[in-house]
Amino acid sequence: MARTSRIPGFFKLPVSERRRVVAEATHLAAHEFDACDARGLDVATSDKTVENVLGVYALPFAATLNVQINGHDVVAPMVIEEPSVVAAASNAARIARIGGGFTAEADPAIVAAQIQLLDVEDTGSALERIREASSEILALADAAIPGLIARGGGARSLDIRVLGAPSDHMMVVDVFIDCRDAMGANLVNSVAEAIGDELAVLARGRIGFRILSNLCDRRKVRVSCRVPFEALATEEMSGADVARGMEDGSRFAELDAYRACTHNKGIMNGVDAVVIATGNDWRAVEAGAHAYAARNGRYEPLATWRREGEHLVGRLEMPLALGIVGGTLRVHPTAKLALKMTGAKTAVELAVLAATVGLASNLAALRALASDGIQRGHMGLHARSVAVAAGASGDNVEKVAARIIELGDITVDAARKVLSELRASEPSAAAVAE
Ligand code: MEV
């Protein structure tokens, strides 16, 4: 049976049953989901991972369903604390599916090692000398990363730029490394350090910083979807009206950086959740995404939406440096499981999935903003967490949440009151046993 991400009624199942069903849908053994109970890293491993450790900090680990990319179903793992993001992304992926799902592709895993050169008296002739020595520089770079060369990666090209005014006497050499299935930070930093001295000699200057750039604009992902208008309809609005509202919202983000920031936040809700679930560096992803959004000298949306005939078409483009080897994945049982759930065999496949969940999250947010507003959907989930905070458990969570929504008072105090009324009206255990 092919992998599937369509599991109707999934949210109603108890957690143990959800694990069994996802195991089946992703072709994993049920026992592999025991990793969900490990709460990620144990304290001893954490103590070897960072400094001054006090313990571990857990977040919800969930599955986004309905995702279909280039005709293949994928269950997307998400780690996120914000209510409604997982439900919204799953619902948006279901809507996108009606139009054939998502189409996506990605660049190879190229990351730049940056070498800053200072006190370069004659930047013009330094540039010439470095250019003439390019092949030797690239060979020196490759010599620093034999493991990556064995896996088919390595230094591909270099770029030399003079920075600032002539009086700055500053240059940068960017060496572009194909990192294959690694995120690449360690590999690229090793290259930067290995070739820095040689470049300084060639430039007849002084070596400065040697570090990767997180603006990986040669490692981009492109995702799109074509949603028929009718799939966007709500109880109160036609699909055509919702589509128009979503296009208007997209234009708003294209014209206003204040809106673009929030629009991109909604995209990163999806992207980051997959990035964190799979043990990747979300700070690097965030830094790259926002630098890319500002590449034209203005902060812009990473995804845009347009009506084309009877369809609304969404397009997302962003840099994404993710790995499926090394780093956290070596030690984190839930991150390992998350990666297995995706079925990704390459870093490119994982990047495509993260970006797709980003576009699904954006679709969900824009559809809500163009129709009911964001609060209606949020309130149900918010009310559930308020009910839990008030001490409700089991079936009582839904009952308390429903009642405080009905009362229009979604506060812990109101939830406590409802809970004690519920408990008072329930037969006691002793009475049931009699
Ligand atoms: C909330 O986490 C994300 C949204 O604000 C995104 C958006 O406004 O597009 C709903």
Side-chain angles (χ1 to χ4, degrees):
M1 190 187 82
R3 282 167 169 267
T4 179
S5 63
R6 279 291 293 147
I7 313 176
F10 183 73
F11 71 101
K12 293 187 200 140
L13 301 174
V15 171
S16 57
E17 188 59 10
R18 285 189 203 138
R19 290 182 190 176
R20 195 193 60 73
V21 171
V22 168
E24 214 167 83
T26 57
H27 299 182
L28 294 176
H31 71 80
E32 302 199 61
F33 283 75
D34 294 347
C36 299
D37 291 323
R39 291 179 187 271
L41 295 178
D42 56 42
V43 177
T45 314
S46 302
D47 196 30
K48 299 276 174 294
T49 306
V50 303
E51 308 72 40
N52 298 353
V53 163
L54 300 173
V56 291
Y57 178 111
L59 289 169
F61 174 60
T64 287
L65 302 181
N66 305 322
V67 178
Q68 190 174 53
I69 308 173
N70 299 334
H72 298 287
D73 274 26
V74 191
V75 175
M78 291 178 95
V79 167
I80 188 157
E81 86 301 343
E82 184 176 329
S84 92
V85 171
V86 177
S90 295
N91 191 38
R94 188 188 51 76
I95 290 172
R97 232 181 143 89
I98 298 170
F102 297 93
T103 305
E105 46 128 8
D107 299 329
I110 303 287
V111 178
Q114 293 204 291
I115 299 97
Q116 180 196 26
L117 300 167
L118 299 152
D119 299 341
V120 182
E121 209 42 55
D122 179 354
T123 50
S125 55
L127 198 144
E128 270 319 304
R129 284 191 298 277
I130 296 172
R131 185 175 289 149
E132 274 164 27
S134 292
S135 314
E136 291 95 277
I137 303 287
L138 295 179
L140 205 57
D142 281 346
I145 41 172
L148 181 61
I149 301 297
R151 297 198 302 276
R156 297 289 184 250
S157 63
L158 61 79
D159 197 18
I160 317 152
R161 289 175 293 139
V162 176
L163 299 181
S167 58
D168 285 304
H169 301 291
M170 196 193 295
M171 302 175 71
V172 62
V173 180
D174 294 310
V175 179
F176 297 101
I177 320 282
D178 184 342
C179 300
R180 307 302 280 191
D181 289 323
M183 183 272 185
N186 284 330
L187 295 162
V188 172
N189 292 341
S190 300
V191 167
E193 295 191 359
I195 64 178
D197 289 340
E198 181 63 23
L199 287 168
V201 169
L202 284 165
R204 295 181 192 151
R206 185 163 61 83
I207 187 79
F209 281 15
R210 293 161 292 168
I211 188 81
L212 89 161
S213 170
N214 287 122
L215 175 49
C216 311
D217 55 5
R218 299 191 183 203
R219 193 176 184 175
K220 293 199 293 285
V221 182
R222 286 161 291 277
V223 187
S224 62
C225 61
R226 277 177 74 77
V227 186
F229 287 169
E230 64 268 20
L232 295 165
T234 65
E235 272 172 28
E236 281 112 36
M237 281 177 78
S238 74
D241 285 347
V242 175
R244 173 198 285 205
M246 291 175 69
E247 184 180 299
D248 289 342
S250 175
R251 291 284 300 141
F252 181 13
E254 289 157 46
L255 297 170
D256 179 48
Y258 289 91
R259 174 57 207 156
C261 173
T262 322
H263 178 102
N264 287 346
K265 193 276 182 182
I267 294 171
M268 300 314 288
N269 274 346
V271 174
D272 283 343
V274 176
V275 170
I276 297 170
T278 54
N280 274 281
D281 181 345
W282 71 94
R283 288 87 55 208
V285 166
E286 283 280 337
H290 300 297
Y292 187 69
R295 69 195 176 285
N296 296 322
R298 225 160 51 84
Y299 189 87
E300 293 174 318
L302 295 165
T304 56
W305 296 86
R306 286 290 180 276
R307 285 171 297 165
E308 293 179 10
E310 296 296 302
H311 290 78
L312 183 72
V313 180
R315 294 187 180 87
L316 167 80
E317 182 176 78
M318 66 181 292
L320 254 181
L322 301 186
I324 59 162
V325 292
T328 309
L329 279 165
R330 282 200 196 98
V331 289
H332 200 294
T334 328
K336 284 186 199 175
L337 170 68
L339 184 63
K340 278 188 166 181
M341 269 168 65
T342 69
K345 296 282 177 282
T346 64
V348 158
E349 281 173 44
L350 182 61
V352 154
L353 173 63
T356 299
V357 179
L359 188 62
S361 299
N362 188 227
L363 193 169
L366 268 56
R367 178 169 177 261
L369 289 166
S371 54
D372 298 338
I374 211 75
Q375 287 307 83
R376 190 195 274 195
H378 268 219
M379 274 311 141
L381 290 153
H382 177 56
R384 273 160 63 184
S385 58
V386 167
V388 171
S393 57
D395 289 350
N396 277 347
V397 175
E398 295 301 335
K399 288 183 191 159
V400 172
R403 183 73 186 125
I404 58 178
I405 291 174
E406 203 174 274
L407 293 170
D409 187 6
I410 305 175
T411 60
V412 176
D413 278 348
R416 280 206 188 104
K417 201 158 160 263
V418 171
L419 186 60
S420 60
E421 283 164 13
L422 260 176
R423 282 180 179 151
S425 67
E426 277 166 2
S428 70
V432 170
E434 274 165 15

